[in-house]
Amino acid sequence: MKRIRFSIAYPDRLVHPLHRRIIDGTGITRAELLLWSPTADATTLIWCDGGRDATAAAVEGIDSLLGSHLVDGADGTYAFLRQDGYEFAAALLETIADARVLFRPPVVFLDTGRVRFEAVGDGSALSAFHDRLAELGELTIERVHEFERARPSARLTGRQRTALDAAVSEGYYEVPREGTIADIAAVLDCSTSTAGELVRKAEASVIRGYVETADTR
């Protein structure tokens, strides 16, 4: 099983109305389709990287909009939208419906005109989906990963986890730093060189895990 991050630029006839508003300029440079509900109407949760006014201006361009509720976030605005249809082009919906793959949120709409998302499936299904989607727009594969049922933020050994726990408890990550590698070594009852190596490897694993699981940003 693979998960692939795709990026595509559609011709104007296939661009979603919300995305078109973002491309044309509303103060929003990025919108993320986070969640959608399997109801008779199209109920979605979208996050935009702008304020309430800019978000409202962006969603106003959706003709199928029946109602909306905006919620301020720390770094943007959440928009609960209720529509009588998703307004994606029929050719795109058919391609998605026929695909033997599933999609991981979010679907990201960028002011550059590109849409970014991840699909999950076996190699043959992903390949078939790629070929059909490539007929609709300028398609790029950005990343390929193995799909895992559980995606831990880091693959740490037990000893590495213990080292990080000791580092936190000793104030090694406080600002300013309160603990030292020697303090961690004392907790672990090992040499400072061993403690330093454990911490470095644990940190490297955490960073790699973060980069691998960073959704589609």
Side-chain angles (χ1 to χ4, degrees):
M1 291 279 285
K2 302 284 187 183
R3 59 184 178 95
I4 298 180
R5 189 169 87 179
F6 292 101
S7 173
I8 187 167
Y10 295 112
D12 187 67
R13 63 185 176 83
L14 298 181
V15 175
H16 189 276
L18 172 63
H19 197 190
R20 185 173 292 110
R21 297 279 288 181
I22 293 170
I23 294 169
D24 290 344
T26 59
I28 301 295
T29 65
R30 179 188 183 97
E32 299 180 1
L33 176 56
L34 301 176
L35 299 169
W36 48 90
S37 176
T39 56
D41 56 8
T43 303
T44 60
L45 173 61
I46 291 174
W47 174 86
C48 295
D49 68 350
R52 181 181 289 260
D53 290 344
T55 300
V59 303
E60 283 173 0
I62 304 176
D63 291 338
S64 60
L65 189 67
L66 300 175
S68 64
H69 175 59
L70 304 185
V71 179
D72 294 331
D75 55 354
T77 304
Y78 294 97
F80 291 86
L81 306 180
R82 188 167 60 87
Q83 304 162 238
D84 59 16
Y86 284 108
E87 287 202 48
F88 288 104
L92 178 57
L93 289 176
E94 290 172 5
T95 298
I96 293 172
D98 293 342
R100 292 179 293 114
V101 302
L102 292 177
F103 303 94
R104 299 182 65 253
V107 179
V108 181
F109 303 95
L110 301 169
D111 64 347
T112 60
R114 302 196 72 83
V115 181
R116 187 179 289 155
F117 63 92
E118 278 194 359
V120 176
D122 63 29
S124 61
L126 285 165
S127 179
F129 172 70
H130 170 277
D131 292 345
R132 185 164 174 185
L133 189 62
E135 297 175 358
L136 300 181
E138 179 192 331
L139 184 63
T140 300
I141 292 177
E142 295 189 347
R143 288 184 184 173
V144 179
H145 293 295
E146 291 294 328
F147 177 76
E148 299 176 354
R149 179 180 60 84
R151 293 172 54 195
S153 59
R155 298 175 181 86
L156 301 177
T157 66
R159 190 67 166 155
Q160 289 170 349
R161 289 183 184 277
T162 301
L164 283 187
D165 287 342
V168 172
S169 65
E170 293 301 307
Y172 185 72
Y173 294 111
E174 295 295 327
V175 180
R177 180 168 288 169
E178 297 174 358
T180 67
I181 292 294
D183 295 325
I184 298 170
V187 174
L188 300 179
D189 192 22
C190 66
S191 67
T192 54
S193 61
T194 297
E197 182 179 6
L198 285 168
V199 169
R200 286 192 298 274
K201 287 184 175 180
E203 289 172 341
S205 184
V206 169
I207 294 300
R208 283 195 298 270
Y210 170 79
V211 171
E212 290 178 1
T213 57
D215 62 55
T216 55
R217 294 182 180 276

